[in-house]
Amino acid sequence: MLNVQELRAAYGESEVLHGLDFTVAPGEIVAIMGRNGMGKTTLMKTLMGIVPARSGVVSVDGTEITGLKSHQRVASGVAYVPQGRMIFSAMTVQENVETGLTVTGKKKVPENIYELFPVLLEMKGRRGGNLSGGQQQQLAIARALASDPKILLLDEPTEGIQPSIIRDMARTLRRIRDERGLSIVVSEQVLSFALDVADRVMVIENGNFVHDSPRAGIDEARVSKFLSV
Amino acid sequence: MFSDYSMSELGAIFAMQGFAGLILFSVFVLMALGLAIIFGQMGVINMAHGEFMILGAYVTYITSNVFSDYLPALFSIYFFVAMVLAFIASGLLGMAVEWAMIRHLYKRPLDTLLATWGLSLILQQVYRSVFGAREVGVTIPDWIMGSLPVTDMIEVPINGIFVMVLAVGISAAIYILMYRSSWGKQVRAINQNRVMAGAVGINTEWTDRLTFGIGCGVAGVAGSAFTMIGSTGPTAGQLYIVDTFLVVVFGGAGSLLGTIASAFSISQAQSIMEFFLSGSMAKVLTLLTVVGILMLRPQGLFALKLRK
Ligand SMILES: Nc1ncnc2c1ncn2[C@@H]1O[C@H](COP(=O)(O)OP(=O)(O)O)[C@@H](O)[C@H]1O
Ligand SMILES: [Mg+2]
């Protein structure tokens, strides 16, 4: 579904991603683990066209999206839940979700989105900025799903969220995958969440992948060693 | 200066000049609205805004000539057609300018100031070449120029009421579009977080262009209204851009209500004083008052409440 070859990205002169290769199968959930500053956010932003790729090829479902603008990538089936959620805080919950409808041409938010996150329906007239952290995270996911993606990118979705809600989030993400058949790439620092949610775990260190293993039979000790400072 | 008039005469003069000031008020409101839409969306101060207004005035002039030459039977309603055409012409020119020039300069605000100022000079020269340096007057249909008698000394000019209803209607329409239409939603999302707006699928470049076009189109409608109080010349826009900046600053940037209140007070003050003093003296007094008030309230009449 997602195919990335030799992807390089840089801020000015300093290269941050040094030629990444990976593939995500349809319906697969991949967790990308790594400590702070290892390049997870840069990878997500490069996939979204927010940071330009220096070289390499990205394709979705066989269609190359490498040089496209962000909104064109959304139209090609990529959706993004950024680190820090970045909801539109002065807009209502419903309006936030509706911004995600832009590429679909729909006017009304499909009901199955509110079925996933009933709390958003209750709060649809409230300003996004007045929601709790966990609710904002749900809102950001709902907004991303509104564009009807083939692949969902989530950047550290558990950051700043209570442990009890993190459990629910893993379940919700798997449910989304099961119901919609989309692929998910999620970056993480919390191993337990990654093990809850992912089919495959990769580790990124200083802009290179250093480990790649299916969830079944993963060497937990080895992965957590990468994650400890 | 009031001593030559009796109280009832003064009352009548104030009322009549007040109604005459409604057109100026409407022009200010529409101009300020267009400027504010553009500034709010992309942080561009459009120095050529007055020339977009004048384009609307010239379009009105052309439309009136076409109607009187070819469709004299429909002359009484040409003004409605002219306003729509003025909106379209100024709007399209605005979109073209955004595409050719402004979009390359978004990261350089000072350059947009210079570039739009240069554009205003270019447009003035184009108007001079096409329409001549002399000012042209527009024939307004009789019914608009008529007035409704209220008392034997006070008459209400229809054009003032007409243009004011128009200006208030357009302001309301823009406000509604901002909060109800998908264009408005996209504009507000971009205002909050441009990068994220792109990443949820909004075509930010197209929205910018459309917004610039709408702002310029509203200036074009202001130009249509302007033909009722002034004659149209290549540089007539220059006079209004300064006043419009005054209105925006005085009202408190970013506040629709403030803009309307400030447009109202400035236009009324000018119109009423112009009856007793020369036009330039009225301007000087208005300016001094505004500067005085701004020294007491630097944030303008209605300050925008900034969110954290
Ligand atoms: N806007 C930026 N400009 C320059 N360097 C940056 C910028 N953003 C991130 N970096 C650098 O890129 C590297 C990877 O950062 P990032 O992708 O944010 O890592 P992570 O998300 O894994 O914590 C870090 O060394 C960081 O300092
Ligand atoms: Mg990060």
Side-chain angles (χ1 to χ4, degrees):
Chain A
M1 184 53 62
L2 177 70
N3 194 338
V4 177
Q5 289 164 27
E6 266 300 301
L7 187 68
R8 289 174 190 273
Y11 296 103
E13 284 303 295
S14 68
E15 190 174 272
V16 174
L17 303 181
H18 308 291
L20 299 181
D21 285 288
F22 68 105
T23 320
V24 180
E28 188 180 31
I29 301 181
V30 175
I32 295 180
M33 310 284 303
R35 279 176 283 130
N36 271 330
M38 290 303 161
K40 302 182 297 296
T41 298
T42 306
L43 172 60
M44 295 290 180
K45 287 186 173 173
T46 310
L47 293 176
M48 250 355 263
I50 296 170
V51 169
R54 191 178 250 193
S55 67
V57 177
V58 181
S59 50
V60 171
D61 210 4
T63 316
E64 193 180 328
I65 61 166
T66 315
L68 298 186
K69 306 240 163 62
S70 295
H71 71 94
Q72 295 169 317
R73 293 179 194 234
V74 177
S76 310
V78 190
Y80 176 47
V81 178
Q83 187 168 11
R85 307 177 276 270
M86 306 288 170
I87 56 150
F88 303 117
S89 53
M91 294 167 75
T92 67
V93 167
Q94 183 176 343
E95 286 172 336
N96 265 278
V97 183
E98 284 169 352
T99 58
L101 292 175
T102 312
V103 297
T104 67
K106 286 192 198 122
K107 288 265 172 266
K108 211 172 156 292
V109 179
E111 270 170 27
N112 57 15
I113 289 182
Y114 286 130
E115 276 162 24
L116 279 170
F117 306 110
V119 67
L120 296 183
L121 188 61
E122 279 165 38
M123 302 204 160
K124 70 185 164 102
R126 289 239 211 138
R127 278 171 180 241
N130 294 342
L131 268 54
S132 72
Q135 291 164 345
Q136 290 191 6
Q137 187 60 265
Q138 299 187 2
L139 179 55
I141 296 173
R143 179 178 66 180
L145 290 178
S147 65
D148 209 3
K150 295 174 187 152
I151 177 139
L152 180 62
L153 309 176
L154 298 105
D155 194 3
E156 292 206 36
T158 60
E159 192 189 38
I161 307 273
Q162 291 173 3
S164 60
I165 302 180
I166 292 179
R167 283 249 131 148
D168 287 341
M169 197 190 303
R171 211 174 308 129
T172 308
L173 288 179
R174 295 190 73 90
R175 178 177 161 198
I176 290 169
R177 187 271 309 271
D178 295 340
E179 284 178 4
R180 299 171 164 251
L182 45 65
S183 311
I184 297 178
V185 178
V186 50
S187 82
E188 256 316 320
Q189 299 199 46
V190 181
L191 183 57
S192 61
F193 175 77
L195 296 176
D196 267 354
V197 74
D199 305 315
R200 185 150 65 97
V201 176
M202 301 173 78
V203 179
I204 188 171
E205 205 158 78
N206 293 320
N208 288 300
F209 286 126
V210 291
H211 187 80
D212 182 352
S213 153
R215 164 73 182 86
I218 191 169
D219 184 349
E220 279 184 46
R222 187 149 173 244
V223 173
S224 41
K225 221 163 144 202
F226 282 118
L227 295 174
S228 56
V229 188
Chain B
M1 61 189 186
F2 297 145
S3 50
D4 305 339
Y5 305 96
S6 74
M7 274 318 279
S8 67
E9 277 173 337
L10 274 181
I13 290 167
F14 270 65
M16 302 272 296
Q17 287 300 108
F19 283 118
L22 287 182
I23 297 184
L24 193 60
F25 162 69
S26 311
V27 171
F28 282 166
V29 166
L30 292 176
M31 286 287 282
L33 191 63
L35 265 187
I37 291 171
I38 290 171
F39 182 75
Q41 165 75 4
M42 39 207 131
V44 169
I45 293 176
N46 181 17
M47 298 295 284
H49 208 64
E51 279 62 43
F52 284 97
M53 163 181 146
I54 290 308
L55 178 64
Y58 276 123
V59 167
T60 308
Y61 166 72
I62 296 170
T63 314
S64 86
N65 285 351
V66 168
F67 269 75
S68 72
D69 289 352
Y70 301 101
L71 294 163
L74 295 176
F75 189 76
S76 60
I77 59 153
Y78 90 85
F79 211 83
F80 298 100
V81 180
M83 283 186 310
V84 174
L85 292 179
F87 180 83
I88 293 173
S90 296
L92 286 180
L93 181 67
M95 290 173 83
V97 164
E98 199 278 345
W99 174 79
M101 193 168 92
I102 311 282
R103 70 183 167 129
H104 304 293
L105 302 173
Y106 280 133
K107 298 208 172 79
R108 293 180 285 172
L110 276 180
D111 291 353
T112 54
L113 215 60
L114 269 181
T116 52
W117 182 64
L119 175 71
S120 80
L121 297 181
I122 294 171
L123 287 176
Q124 285 170 33
Q125 190 52 47
V126 170
Y127 298 153
R128 205 169 284 126
S129 312
V130 175
F131 299 101
R134 297 229 350 243
E135 300 195 330
V136 297
V138 174
T139 321
I140 310 293
D142 290 337
W143 67 268
I144 302 186
M145 293 318 276
S147 50
L148 305 170
V150 177
T151 69
D152 45 357
M153 264 193 294
I154 303 177
E155 289 187 333
V156 181
I158 293 175
N159 58 1
I161 303 292
F162 172 74
V163 177
M164 191 190 69
V165 169
L166 181 83
V168 171
I170 288 181
S171 310
I174 297 274
Y175 191 81
I176 290 169
L177 278 178
M178 211 42 120
Y179 286 91
R180 291 279 179 274
S181 73
S182 54
W183 166 72
K185 215 175 297 151
Q186 292 172 11
V187 165
R188 285 182 296 137
I190 293 171
N191 266 330
Q192 284 197 31
N193 188 334
R194 181 170 282 270
V195 169
M196 199 54 225
V200 299
I202 294 171
N203 186 343
T204 56
E205 292 172 20
W206 169 249
T207 308
D208 283 350
R209 195 159 309 143
L210 192 63
T211 307
F212 200 86
I214 290 176
C216 292
V218 172
V221 178
S224 249
F226 161 78
T227 58
M228 294 185 185
I229 45 168
S231 44
T232 305
T235 55
Q238 291 287 300
L239 298 173
Y240 281 82
I241 191 74
V242 176
D243 284 347
T244 306
F245 282 132
L246 201 66
V247 165
V248 171
V249 173
F250 186 47
S255 156
L256 186 66
L257 201 64
T259 304
I260 290 176
S262 119
F264 187 76
S265 39
I266 291 181
S267 61
Q268 290 299 316
Q270 279 200 18
S271 176
I272 291 175
M273 283 193 290
E274 264 174 26
F275 187 86
F276 300 103
L277 308 160
S278 72
S280 47
M281 199 58 206
K283 264 222 162 92
V284 169
L285 279 184
T286 316
L287 195 59
L288 281 178
T289 315
V290 168
V291 168
I293 294 178
L294 281 180
M295 282 168 82
L296 297 174
R297 262 188 85 81
Q299 68 274 47
L301 283 180
F302 293 71
L304 181 66
K305 276 195 220 77
L306 284 179
R307 238 183 335 267
K308 277 272 144 13

